[in-house]
Amino acid sequence: MRGKSGERRKRSGRWTGSRLPEGLGPRLRERLAAVRLPGRPTLRLPVRLAGPRLPGRSAPRLRERLAAVRLPRTRRGQRRLVQGLMVAGVLALAPATWMRLEAGDRVGTAAGAPAREVAVVFGAGLWNGRPTPYLAHRLDAAAELYRAGKVEVVLVTGDNSRVEYDEPDAMRTYLTGRGVPDRRIVSDYAGFDSWDSCVRAKKIFGVDRAVLVSQGFHIHRAVTLCRSAGIDAYGVAVDEPRDATWYYGGARELAASGKAALDALFRPDPRFLGPEEPGVAEALAAGAR
């Protein structure tokens, strides 16, 4: 046994006394005082998630809010809490449910898609300047529609708000590599979200009827928004494995559906509208020669 206070005592297996090594912060000193040394492999830390004390690393405001949370103790209060959570869940699911009902039987596969002059492919991100796997699968489906003679022109719509980020040109390059002629591809560089893409397809490029191409978790929203924008739309749902990305996309749709419902209701102008462009009409005319 060592005599100095603040050093280990083999007999008790603890830090003892009122003094601990110098230079330690008060929280670390408090935690070290509760640590058992080898002999009994247990670790006791004075950390509580309830009551007035919260983990030391929490931000002050978060600590205050968590400390103020009190679950109802009465049955009446608990019942109201459950009812409130149920109402919140219904409100969160309502827009997505409405869009599925609105799209109805207008969603299917590439093989069952009707013949339309234009296919619209929505952007889905780039990796190192190339389409992400999900976007590549959308483009593969559009190329399949073109080769099958079901569409004549492919309108690629995506984000080009930054010089170093150009979804439409990356989509064009991918499609030409899959056999779609460059003259049959039209680029929309201001498709910042689904609503903007639908409105611009109608007002800027003059699209009245189209086949939309996207993943299953997004296609119902795309069809509903394009129909609200005045396009007779049919959606091709691209199959994907049920991986983490797919579930993330499905969860994201719950949040995006609320905004989409507001867009369909109030029909705002897109972030950038601009003048009309003859790209689709010229591509169709070139194909008719």
Side-chain angles (χ1 to χ4, degrees), residues 39-283:
R40 295 195 64 180
T42 59
L43 185 66
R44 296 171 54 211
L45 297 178
V47 178
R48 298 178 178 84
L49 294 178
R53 299 190 56 191
L54 293 169
R57 295 183 180 180
S58 300
R61 291 185 179 179
L62 178 60
R63 288 163 53 85
E64 293 176 3
R65 292 177 181 177
L66 288 176
V69 172
R70 294 291 185 271
L71 295 177
R73 296 183 179 181
T74 64
R75 289 187 178 181
R76 183 178 181 182
Q78 293 170 357
R79 184 167 58 250
R80 287 184 175 179
L81 175 62
V82 172
Q83 291 172 346
L85 293 175
M86 292 176 63
V87 171
V90 170
L91 292 177
L93 293 173
T97 303
W98 169 67
M99 289 183 186
R100 282 189 170 271
L101 295 174
E102 182 70 16
D105 58 355
R106 293 174 174 267
V107 173
T109 63
R116 301 282 172 88
E117 291 181 333
V118 180
V120 178
V121 184
F122 298 84
L126 303 177
W127 283 354
N128 298 321
R130 297 181 179 180
T132 60
Y134 270 38
L135 179 53
H137 297 164
R138 297 180 186 185
L139 296 167
D140 289 337
E144 179 184 345
L145 290 169
Y146 178 80
R147 290 192 296 266
K150 293 192 173 184
V151 300
E152 301 177 37
V153 173
V154 180
L155 174 61
V156 292
T157 174
D159 186 355
N160 183 216
S161 57
R162 307 186 304 275
V163 174
E164 69 278 7
Y165 190 85
D166 190 341
E167 278 187 320
D169 277 357
M171 296 161 75
R172 176 187 290 271
T173 301
Y174 188 95
L175 284 173
T176 55
R178 290 342 182 246
V180 181
D182 185 75
R183 68 180 183 277
R184 297 298 187 91
I185 305 171
V186 179
S187 299
D188 175 13
Y189 295 95
F192 300 123
D193 60 21
S194 299
W195 175 250
D196 285 11
S197 295
C198 290
V199 174
R200 286 178 56 80
K202 174 67 177 180
K203 294 185 176 182
I204 303 302
F205 295 94
V207 176
D208 296 318
R209 303 170 73 240
V211 175
L212 314 181
V213 184
S214 188
Q215 270 71 30
F217 54 74
H218 170 251
I219 195 64
H220 295 87
R221 176 161 63 95
V223 168
T224 301
L225 289 176
C226 279
R227 291 189 68 196
S228 297
I231 298 175
D232 181 6
Y234 180 91
V236 170
V238 179
D239 287 333
E240 295 289 351
R242 299 300 193 263
D243 55 9
T245 304
W246 190 91
Y247 285 108
Y248 168 77
R252 181 178 177 274
E253 278 302 300
L254 294 178
S257 294
K259 176 186 179 300
L262 295 176
D263 288 336
L265 178 63
F266 295 105
R267 301 183 182 183
D269 285 336
R271 193 185 316 177
F272 177 80
L273 191 59
E276 295 182 6
E277 297 184 18
V280 170
E282 291 175 352

Side-chain angles (χ1 to χ4, degrees), residues 2-9 12 14-21 29 32-33:
R2 301 180 183 179
K4 291 185 178 180
S5 173
E7 294 183 351
R8 291 182 298 182
R9 293 184 180 179
S12 64
R14 285 175 171 270
W15 292 93
T16 59
S18 59
R19 297 185 58 191
L20 290 171
R29 290 166 57 85
L32 283 176

